[in-house]
Amino acid sequence: MEAIWRAQRMIAMSLARRWHRRIYAYHNWLLLRVSFATIARWAKVRWLCRSIVDVRWRWNGIVRYETGRDLFSLDRGKWLAAMSSGVLENLIDRRIHLGQQKSQGVEHLPDIVAVGDRIAGVVAQLWMEQSGRLVILSPFHYVSQYANVLAVHEVQRALGVVNVAIVSGVPHDQFGSDEKLTPGLEILHTQGDGVRNSLGIRFARSLVRDKMAVLFADAAPYSMHRYPMDTVGVSIFGRPSRIHDGVFRLGKRMQVTLLPYYLTFTRGRFDVVMFEPVPLDVDDAAQRVADCIGSALSHSYEGSLFAGYPTLYGFAATR
């Protein structure tokens, strides 16, 4: 009798896995055929439906909204956008990854192409003003990590840069092989690659070689609690805060300019908000970047990938 029960249980589990794979495949099929505006609405509906039966989804969304409301004066009209932002990030990441697989290379989305052209224009101007200037692109953690990678590809295309290094903490192959998403990108992982201690040296070498590299300077210290990095004290919203110090230590030794910006996603359209370039050899470079981080949170908190974490920049894994 026990053997029969075990066999029935195995059959039921096999059928459940098969059904899950079919549903997932159908979702992927839909993602490739609907607009990004529809994906934005889908994210909100999906969060609303699942939050009814899943307490973790419900409270994750509530914490995201209430953190923005209490700390960053988030407009009440953005409550649903804030609550469903984690779902939206996942759907956009999946859609972009599927697009690379379908196109057998880098998919050139019109909005992202325009974003890349704008960023490339600023970089070209910096190079024109001073030949040999090293530039670090610093996208902030907004909307989607994969969308930011796609924007870097468009910057490469516009400037004719063959290779560029990008520091990333995103796990490998979340939605399948990342190989087609990262041609021409040298991914320097901050965790799990076994050679993290040489990360700074590899990044500096790549920056000198290509005259450009990519680093997310707004990474919140708590996000690296398993792999601590040195931090520097700054002020964000008038409160003592800390951000990672590596890029500023590098900038003091080399003639480097940091170009901060962040993506936005409104009504299914991607856009970019760019800040003034920051020379990293000036004394207040860290505070200038902190001011950019604060401005981004004030104007587009609901798009932040760190939304919902009250500690944010108030916690330092190490000094």
Side-chain angles (χ1 to χ4, degrees), residues 10-61:
M10 291 179 63
I11 292 172
M13 291 176 63
S14 176
L15 290 173
R17 285 193 296 267
R18 187 179 303 177
W19 177 253
H20 177 77
R21 285 194 297 267
R22 287 185 177 181
I23 293 295
Y24 191 79
Y26 178 65
H27 282 177
N28 289 344
W29 181 85
L30 278 178
L31 279 172
L32 282 170
R33 286 160 178 79
V34 300
S35 67
F36 278 97
T38 300
I39 290 175
R41 291 190 288 269
W42 183 0
K44 294 176 181 178
V45 172
R46 187 178 181 189
W47 181 85
L48 284 170
C49 292
R50 184 160 175 177
S51 65
I52 295 173
V53 296
D54 192 324
V55 68
R56 290 188 178 181
W57 274 51
R58 181 165 63 253
W59 280 105
N60 178 273

Side-chain angles (χ1 to χ4, degrees), residues 76-124:
R76 185 172 179 81
K78 295 181 178 179
W79 69 273
L80 186 53
M83 289 185 178
S84 61
S85 59
V87 182
L88 179 61
E89 176 197 356
N90 178 270
L91 290 178
I92 291 177
D93 282 349
R94 281 174 58 186
R95 164 61 184 83
I96 290 175
H97 200 285
L98 290 168
Q100 309 315 301
Q101 294 176 348
K102 183 180 178 181
S103 61
Q104 298 296 311
V106 177
E107 182 184 19
H108 299 285
L109 299 173
D111 289 349
I112 301 295
V113 170
V115 166
D117 288 343
R118 283 187 59 188
I119 299 169
V122 177
V123 175

Side-chain angles (χ1 to χ4, degrees), residues 61-75:
I62 291 173
V63 168
R64 282 173 181 264
Y65 167 66
E66 291 187 347
T67 300
R69 181 197 63 191
D70 297 341
L71 298 182
F72 310 116
S73 302
L74 180 67
D75 187 272

